[in-house]
Coordinates of all heavy atoms in Angstrom, one line a residue:
R39 N -4.7 -12.7 5.3 CA -5.4 -13.4 4.3 C -5.4 -12.7 3.0 O -6.2 -13.0 2.1 CB -6.9 -13.5 4.8 CG -7.2 -14.1 6.1 CD -6.5 -15.5 6.5 NE -6.4 -16.4 5.6 CZ -5.4 -17.4 5.5 NH1 -4.6 -17.5 6.4 NH2 -5.5 -18.3 4.6
L40 N -4.5 -11.7 2.8 CA -4.3 -10.9 1.6 C -3.8 -11.9 0.5 O -2.7 -12.5 0.8 CB -3.5 -9.8 1.7 CG -4.3 -8.7 2.5 CD1 -3.1 -7.6 2.9 CD2 -5.3 -8.0 1.6
E41 N -4.3 -11.9 -0.6 CA -3.9 -12.7 -1.8 C -3.1 -11.9 -2.9 O -2.1 -12.4 -3.4 CB -5.1 -13.3 -2.5 CG -4.8 -14.0 -3.8 CD -6.0 -14.6 -4.3 OE1 -7.1 -13.9 -4.5 OE2 -6.0 -15.7 -4.8
N42 N -3.5 -10.6 -3.0 CA -2.8 -9.8 -3.9 C -2.8 -8.4 -3.2 O -3.7 -7.8 -2.8 CB -3.6 -9.5 -5.2 CG -2.9 -8.8 -6.2 OD1 -2.0 -8.1 -5.9 ND2 -3.3 -8.8 -7.5
I43 N -1.5 -7.8 -3.1 CA -1.3 -6.7 -2.2 C -1.4 -5.4 -3.2 O -1.7 -4.3 -2.7 CB 0.0 -6.7 -1.4 CG1 -0.3 -7.8 -0.5 CG2 0.3 -5.4 -0.8 CD1 1.0 -8.1 0.4
G44 N -1.0 -5.5 -4.4 CA -1.0 -4.4 -5.3 C 0.3 -3.5 -5.3 O 1.3 -4.0 -4.8
D45 N 0.3 -2.4 -5.9 CA 1.4 -1.5 -6.1 C 1.7 -0.4 -5.1 O 0.6 0.2 -4.8 CB 1.4 -1.1 -7.5 CG 1.2 -2.3 -8.6 OD1 1.8 -3.3 -8.2 OD2 0.7 -1.9 -9.6
V46 N 2.9 -0.1 -4.8 CA 3.2 1.1 -4.0 C 4.5 1.6 -4.5 O 5.4 0.9 -4.8 CB 3.1 0.8 -2.5 CG1 4.2 -0.2 -2.1 CG2 3.2 2.0 -1.5
G47 N 4.7 2.9 -4.5 CA 5.8 3.5 -4.9 C 5.5 4.8 -5.8 O 4.4 5.0 -6.2
P48 N 6.6 5.6 -5.8 CA 6.4 6.9 -6.6 C 6.2 6.9 -8.0 O 6.8 6.0 -8.7 CB 7.8 7.6 -6.3 CG 8.7 6.6 -6.0 CD 8.0 5.4 -5.4
E49 N 5.3 7.7 -8.4 CA 5.0 7.9 -9.8 C 4.7 9.4 -10.0 O 3.8 10.0 -9.3 CB 3.8 7.0 -10.4 CG 3.6 7.3 -11.9 CD 2.4 6.4 -12.2 OE1 1.8 5.7 -11.6 OE2 2.1 6.4 -13.5
D50 N 5.4 10.1 -10.8 CA 5.4 11.5 -11.0 C 4.4 11.8 -12.2 O 4.5 11.1 -13.2 CB 6.7 12.1 -11.3 CG 7.7 12.1 -10.1 OD1 7.2 11.8 -8.9 OD2 9.0 12.2 -10.2
E51 N 3.7 12.8 -12.0 CA 2.9 13.4 -13.0 C 3.8 14.1 -14.0 O 4.9 14.6 -13.7 CB 1.8 14.4 -12.6 CG 0.8 13.8 -11.6 CD -0.2 12.9 -12.4 OE1 -0.6 13.2 -13.5 OE2 -0.6 11.9 -11.7
E52 N 3.3 14.5 -15.2 CA 4.1 15.0 -16.3 C 3.4 16.4 -16.7 O 2.1 16.3 -16.9 CB 4.4 14.2 -17.5 CG 5.1 14.8 -18.5 CD 5.3 13.8 -19.6 OE1 4.4 13.5 -20.5 OE2 6.4 13.2 -19.8
I53 N 4.2 17.4 -16.8 CA 3.6 18.7 -17.4 C 4.1 18.9 -18.8 O 5.4 18.9 -18.9 CB 3.9 19.9 -16.5 CG1 3.2 19.8 -15.1 CG2 3.5 21.2 -17.2 CD1 3.6 20.8 -14.2
E54 N 3.3 19.1 -19.7 CA 3.8 19.5 -21.1 C 3.5 20.9 -21.4 O 2.5 21.4 -21.0 CB 3.0 18.6 -22.2 CG 3.4 17.1 -22.1 CD 2.7 16.3 -23.2 OE1 2.1 17.0 -24.1 OE2 2.9 15.1 -23.3
W55 N 4.5 21.5 -22.1 CA 4.2 22.8 -22.5 C 5.0 23.0 -23.8 O 5.9 22.3 -24.1 CB 4.6 23.8 -21.4 CG 6.1 23.9 -21.1 CD1 6.7 22.9 -20.5 CD2 6.9 24.9 -21.4 NE1 8.1 23.2 -20.2 CE2 8.3 24.5 -20.8 CE3 6.9 26.1 -22.0 CZ2 9.4 25.3 -21.0 CZ3 8.2 26.9 -22.1 CH2 9.3 26.4 -21.6
V56 N 4.6 23.9 -24.7 CA 5.2 24.3 -25.9 C 5.5 25.8 -26.1 O 4.8 26.6 -26.1 CB 4.2 24.0 -27.1 CG1 4.8 24.1 -28.4 CG2 3.7 22.5 -26.9
P57 N 6.8 26.0 -26.0 CA 7.4 27.4 -26.3 C 7.0 27.8 -27.6 O 7.3 27.1 -28.5 CB 8.8 27.3 -26.0 CG 9.1 26.0 -25.4 CD 8.0 25.0 -25.7
V58 N 6.5 29.0 -27.6 CA 6.0 29.4 -29.0 C 7.2 29.8 -29.9 O 7.2 29.7 -31.1 CB 5.1 30.7 -29.0 CG1 3.9 30.4 -28.4 CG2 5.9 31.9 -28.2
S59 N 8.4 29.9 -29.2 CA 9.6 30.2 -30.0 C 10.1 29.0 -30.8 O 10.8 29.1 -31.7 CB 10.8 30.7 -29.0 OG 11.1 29.8 -28.2
T60 N 9.9 27.7 -30.3 CA 10.4 26.5 -31.0 C 9.2 25.7 -31.5 O 9.4 25.0 -32.5 CB 11.1 25.7 -29.9 OG1 10.3 25.1 -28.9 CG2 12.3 26.4 -29.3
G61 N 8.1 25.7 -30.8 CA 7.0 24.8 -31.4 C 7.2 23.4 -31.0 O 6.5 22.5 -31.5

Side-chain angles (χ1 to χ4, degrees):
R39 308 313 319 158
L40 287 166
E41 175 182 41
N42 184 346
I43 292 175
D45 304 328
V46 64
E49 181 176 1
D50 295 339
E51 297 285 330
E52 179 179 77
I53 296 174
E54 290 186 2
W55 65 290
V56 182
V58 293
S59 61
T60 65

